[in-house]
Amino acid sequence: DGLCNTDDIERSKTEGKELTKEEKQRLRKEKKQQKKNKEKNDEKTSHEGEKKKNKKKKEEQPAGSASQPPAQPSPKVPAPAPPPPAAAAVPVPASEAPAPADKPAKSKADLKAERRARQEAERASKGKKGDVGQPAPTGKLKAPPSELQPVVKRLPEHVQVDNPEVVKKLAKKLERQQIPLRSDYGYKVSLFSHLHQYSRKAPLTQQLGIPSTVIHPAIVRLGLQYSQGIVAGSNARSVALLHAFQQVIRDYTTPPNEELSRDLVNKLKPYISFLNQCRPLSASMGNAIKYIKKEISNIPSQCKEEEAKIKLLNCIERYINEKIVLAAKAIAKYSIEKISDGDVILVYGCSSLVNHILCEAFEKKRKFRVIVVDSRPRLEGREALRRLVQKGISCTYVLISAVSYILPEVSKVFLGAHALLANGYVMSRVGTSQIALVAKAFNVPVLVCCETYKFCERVQTDSFVSNELDDPDDLIVTRKGKTQLEHWQKVPSLGLLNLVYDVTPPDFVDLVITDLGMIPCTSVPVVLRVKNVDQ
Amino acid sequence: MELQAVLMAAGGGSRMPDLTYNTPKPMLPVGNKPLMWHPLNLLERVGFEEVIVITTKEVQKMMSTDPKMKDVKMKLDVVCIQEDGDMGTADALRHIQQKIKTDVLVVSCDLITDVALHEVVDLFRAHNATLAMLMSKAHDFTETVPGQKGKKKTGEQRDFVGVDQSGKRLLFMANEADLEDGLSIRKSIMRKHPRMHIKTGLVDAHLYCLKKAVVDFLADNKSISSIRGELLPYLVRKQFSKTTNCPKSKDDADDQTQKTADGSTNSTELLICSRDEPLLQLAQERSCWNDHRGDMSEAYHGGKLRCYVHIMDQGLCYRVNTLAAYIEANRLASKLLEEPAVHPSAVISERCQMGPDSIIGAQCQVADKTSIKRSTIGNSTTVKEKVKVTNSIIMHGVTIEEGCNIHGCVICSNAVIGRGADLKYCLVGNGQQIEAEGEAHSFHTSTFNMLSLFSPPTVTRGT
């Protein structure tokens, strides 16, 4: 059918007649179809190629890929394909389970090789970023989504900082929203040059006017508190964010000829950009924002402004109550079952949830003692120590370098999480994966406590792709009057790296305690799917 | 709206009577702009659009006629108060209580500074503080002040300011006059902040960010009349008072108006103890941040009232309330202003030697063979030939006849300096006339002692 249509169109073209509207539409459709078919195949090869490149970057190679459940329809599964000659090949063990998509690809090996070569040439000519000397995966992922595989998400802007076009686009977007752009500070270690690195001494408020009119004062205050670290910790940040949104909603008035459901969402966008500039949003904050936006857009248009505002304020209260406060209670209840008398529990850093659990368990008269592990530069363990000792729990305090010495004493490890990723990885404060690794080596059970609102759709298998770089000057310390790193910027070969998060693979985690119950790490996608169905 | 700016311009300038007996202090020219223009410029640069100016009728009249004040693009809401001088700064704030709808930024009209204002306001915002103020390390004034016999020891009492280890939290503030036996510090403060730095020699810039609740508190407590003298020490002390730190049984976060209306809550107790809303409390509890370490208490020691100070160690910060400060400010004014030093409408002949740090005002006429170094010359001033002006401040409408030699003087508006006069370190009042061939050294003239100088006798070491 398509063929004869093209013939018709060809004929009318050659006859010099103008194509009718229908013919033009048909032509357009066919072109699209052809393009899609071509790109579908390109996508398949591109994804396989990209996985290889990611693998090259990763430290832990076979373990990571082997742990992935094979034969998943998701395109993110690293499907080891036979290495095409054009790409910089990583010798992938052929014994690993090939995905079903491989079978048709194998038979078209030559075509694939050609397409690959063409792609490489394209990418090279576009001159995108080259990390580890490889052409960037960005170009591939920007290809339009194919029909077979689920939607391919674009790389977020905050992990493409060394791509000048993306930076320019971000600057333009911020200019449109009248939000100042925060400039990066200091030399960035090359592995992490794709992330932002800001200085705490250069707050964003320097470039804002006083009094702030573009951005609501509650949001400015919140942004300051984020960037100075006064509000730190996933739960605290979400609660503070929702509190600020409550104030914004209270002070909001619908402009004439506008609907609250659409205008309020537009009002929130620059605020979110501003907060993002102050400190990158956490996964829990992202979920809270999604929830709020959904609630706002679901306000019926005939609802009066006052009613709508009250409704929204109540929604926020309810969200916090259900997802944070009650969830903490539920998790504490489940965890107390897991804590037996005589336990020695190891905790890392300051997780509000884990502290809450331990305090509750102590009140329920469980006999246990706690070992608090701490690490520089944040030294958050001191705050956790203070809270536990204040309750009367007997604690030991060590630095992370002593973890393997103290682990023989430990019976359980309780860890908090910043987010749980869709492939079961746990994203938490840097150092957590180390603790989990050592605990696994000593056969000590590792329990992660995390509320369900922190589960996010993102997938990450290493800590490089997406992370947060904190102020490098935090690493500078003065001992006995001497500050050795004071002039680190003058030494050309020296870079200071202050990572905030890292990811722990699910094979180091024995149990995840959530408000829905105690689940294994690999059941996170199930929870996400159930949540999506609910909503 | 986040902050409202209030400019206090009703002060008398009691410490420089010779300058202010004719011109009110807010309108004294500094760098050829009225004194109050400088803080207004600071506010305008930072982004304020409206300012409430509290001043006297006289100043308001002068403001409306002064061309430099027209440059101020902000909306000035001028509130006039009586000139008798009984109204303190806190009284003035109480007077405009109805206009205050949000937190307030109080600035004094005699502040000349280039501080990055966001440093002060950020402390106010980030820590949800009740008070945030600006202070600066004092610089010694190096210029000789006319009329002063040698370096006089300032008879002013010292201010003792106690800050915590980070240098931001204000723990203690007292003036030497209030301390009879010695400096005593409460044990509760020492327990909470074992390391305190006590500083003297700091200049209080009189720039305060105050919460709205403080203004409401002032409205109820009519006994407080000065912000700097009474309100500030009270707030600083109240941070550690037992009553503020006890948990309050009533906690209506929303109805603030109700609390002021009925007398059930002790209004002197202050709604200043800002009952942090429950969500903020929750966020603070869950946050793993503490402002101090070493003891068992939570962030801020659970205190709801917090006072912060930003101490500038670099940059300009002057309070022009003495003659020495006035002269110093004029010297540095050229650095502050972005305009060209010489006004385009001034007529300056080519044979005039002008130093780079002099400022010439509008419509001046400077004749040949004159030398002007490190001086400020006001508007519509005429300087005739062969005049040497160094290190001086010449205000508006002055006529300086030929051959004068003026060194280190302050010559007020509309004065006339006769031919060949030789003035060193003198202060010539408004509209005074110095006779020709007079010589004066370290002399003050004002309406009170109209001494006319005849030629040729020399008069040295006058009043």
Side-chain angles (χ1 to χ4, degrees), chain A residues 201 203 205-206 208-213 217 220-221 224-225 228-233 235-237 239-240 242-243 246-247 250 316-317 320 324-325 328 350 352-353 356 380 382-383 385-387 389-390 429 451, chain B residues 1-4 43 45-49 103 105 116-119 121-129 211 254 277-300:
Chain A
K201 290 198 214 81
T205 48
Q206 242 174 358
L208 280 181
I210 306 165
S212 68
T213 39
V220 176
R221 174 173 303 162
L224 259 178
Q225 289 179 329
Q228 292 184 8
I230 295 174
V231 175
N235 281 337
R237 289 212 277 166
V239 172
L242 290 170
H243 169 77
Q246 270 191 338
Q247 289 183 297
R250 261 190 222 118
I316 293 180
E317 288 278 354
I320 294 179
I324 300 180
V325 179
C350 184
S352 55
L353 189 54
H356 177 84
E380 289 171 335
R382 296 184 297 191
E383 184 59 23
L385 188 67
R386 176 188 78 77
R387 287 177 200 201
V389 173
Q390 202 179 25
R429 184 69 79 223
E451 299 97 332
Chain B
M1 228 206 318
E2 191 184 1
L3 275 182
Q4 270 177 293
L43 292 173
R45 260 185 295 138
V46 162
F48 276 95
E49 287 170 355
D103 300 336
L105 173 68
L117 206 54
H118 74 91
E119 308 243 7
V121 182
D122 278 351
L123 281 175
F124 185 67
R125 290 164 171 155
H127 298 275
N128 210 7
K211 264 213 158 80
D254 297 84
E277 300 176 39
L279 271 191
L280 269 185
Q281 272 287 73
L282 180 65
Q284 204 173 51
E285 271 170 45
R286 297 302 178 105
S287 169
C288 50
W289 176 84
N290 206 324
D291 65 329
H292 65 278
R293 55 187 180 85
D295 66 356
M296 278 296 169
S297 41
E298 48 179 359
Y300 306 127

Side-chain angles (χ1 to χ4, degrees), chain B residues 44-151:
Chain B
E44 188 170 354
R45 260 185 295 138
V46 162
F48 276 95
E49 287 170 355
E50 302 186 352
V51 182
I52 302 176
V53 181
I54 302 183
T55 181
T56 57
K57 285 216 176 41
E58 195 188 336
V59 174
Q60 185 184 27
K61 245 187 294 172
M62 290 182 74
M63 268 171 65
S64 49
T65 52
D66 193 317
K68 293 285 171 18
M69 296 298 288
K70 303 272 192 305
D71 286 341
V72 175
K73 307 259 181 353
M74 303 185 287
K75 178 162 140 340
L76 298 178
D77 181 6
V78 184
V79 173
C80 292
I81 57 169
Q82 301 293 38
E83 261 177 62
D84 46 22
D86 271 357
M87 236 192 181
T89 39
D91 296 324
L93 214 50
R94 196 178 301 128
H95 184 74
I96 54 166
Q97 194 226 349
Q98 298 302 323
K99 291 188 191 250
I100 307 280
K101 307 266 181 299
T102 82
D103 300 336
V104 71
L105 173 68
V106 178
V107 190
S108 169
C109 68
D110 53 11
L111 175 67
I112 298 186
T113 178
D114 62 352
V115 71
L117 206 54
H118 74 91
E119 308 243 7
V120 181
V121 182
D122 278 351
L123 281 175
F124 185 67
R125 290 164 171 155
H127 298 275
N128 210 7
T130 310
L131 161 73
M133 56 187 287
L134 174 68
M135 283 192 149
S136 165
K137 294 222 161 75
H139 305 277
D140 279 325
F141 297 135
T142 46
E143 306 282 340
T144 322
V145 179
Q148 260 186 8
K149 306 170 190 38
K151 291 254 187 245

Side-chain angles (χ1 to χ4, degrees), chain B residues 3 44 58 68 73 106 124 146 176 179 197 223 263 300 302 313 362 442 455 460 463:
Chain B
L3 275 182
E44 188 170 354
E58 195 188 336
K68 293 285 171 18
K73 307 259 181 353
V106 178
F124 185 67
E176 198 172 341
L179 308 167
H197 297 268
S223 57
Y300 306 127
D313 44 3
S442 297
S455 60
T460 54
T463 317

Side-chain angles (χ1 to χ4, degrees), chain B residues 115-361:
Chain B
V115 71
L117 206 54
H118 74 91
E119 308 243 7
V120 181
V121 182
D122 278 351
L123 281 175
F124 185 67
R125 290 164 171 155
H127 298 275
N128 210 7
T130 310
L131 161 73
M133 56 187 287
L134 174 68
M135 283 192 149
S136 165
K137 294 222 161 75
H139 305 277
D140 279 325
F141 297 135
T142 46
E143 306 282 340
T144 322
V145 179
Q148 260 186 8
K149 306 170 190 38
K151 291 254 187 245
K152 214 177 7 168
K153 215 27 206 262
T154 43
E156 286 175 35
Q157 306 281 24
R158 290 180 294 175
D159 270 324
F160 291 94
V161 176
V163 293
D164 77 340
Q165 217 172 341
S166 68
K168 297 276 172 201
R169 181 92 188 263
L170 190 54
L171 302 174
F172 180 79
M173 184 187 275
N175 190 283
E176 198 172 341
D178 299 326
L179 308 167
E180 288 126 43
D181 303 334
L183 200 98
S184 54
I185 300 183
R186 305 227 314 249
K187 235 202 260 182
S188 59
I189 306 181
M190 291 309 296
R191 235 180 271 130
K192 291 182 183 164
H193 299 269
R195 285 187 161 219
M196 194 190 319
H197 297 268
I198 301 208
K199 300 180 191 254
T200 55
L202 284 181
V203 170
D204 184 345
H206 280 231
L207 188 144
Y208 312 115
C209 284
L210 295 167
K211 264 213 158 80
K212 178 170 183 313
V214 177
V215 182
D216 297 336
F217 167 73
L218 275 183
D220 291 328
N221 285 287
K222 305 224 188 310
S223 57
I224 299 185
S225 98
S226 155
I227 295 184
R228 178 63 176 84
E230 291 162 47
L231 181 62
L232 250 55
Y234 175 78
L235 286 177
V236 175
R237 268 197 321 267
K238 223 28 183 158
Q239 287 179 98
F240 303 103
S241 119
K242 283 211 183 68
T243 39
T244 39
N245 295 336
C246 280
K248 289 224 152 314
S249 46
K250 274 202 221 161
D251 219 299
D252 27 350
D254 297 84
D255 283 28
Q256 209 178 6
T257 45
Q258 266 196 2
K259 268 196 176 173
T260 44
D262 60 51
S264 55
T265 45
N266 194 356
S267 50
T268 53
E269 253 340 294
L270 266 218
L271 336 111
I272 286 187
C273 324
S274 41
R275 342 139 240 72
D276 284 340
E277 300 176 39
L279 271 191
L280 269 185
Q281 272 287 73
L282 180 65
Q284 204 173 51
E285 271 170 45
R286 297 302 178 105
S287 169
C288 50
W289 176 84
N290 206 324
D291 65 329
H292 65 278
R293 55 187 180 85
D295 66 356
M296 278 296 169
S297 41
E298 48 179 359
Y300 306 127
H301 299 277
K304 305 269 186 281
L305 208 173
R306 304 182 272 273
C307 299
Y308 284 86
V309 62
H310 173 68
I311 302 184
M312 273 173 78
D313 44 3
Q314 287 169 345
L316 288 175
C317 180
Y318 287 106
R319 283 210 57 229
V320 180
N321 52 1
T322 58
L323 194 49
Y326 179 73
I327 294 175
E328 186 82 14
N330 261 298
R331 210 62 74 227
L332 298 163
S334 52
K335 290 202 195 82
L336 267 180
L337 303 175
E338 293 124 26
E339 296 171 0
V342 179
H343 199 276
S345 68
V347 175
I348 304 193
S349 74
E350 282 118 31
R351 310 245 302 270
C352 157
Q353 283 181 355
M354 233 189 57
D357 32 357
S358 299
I359 301 181
I360 313 273

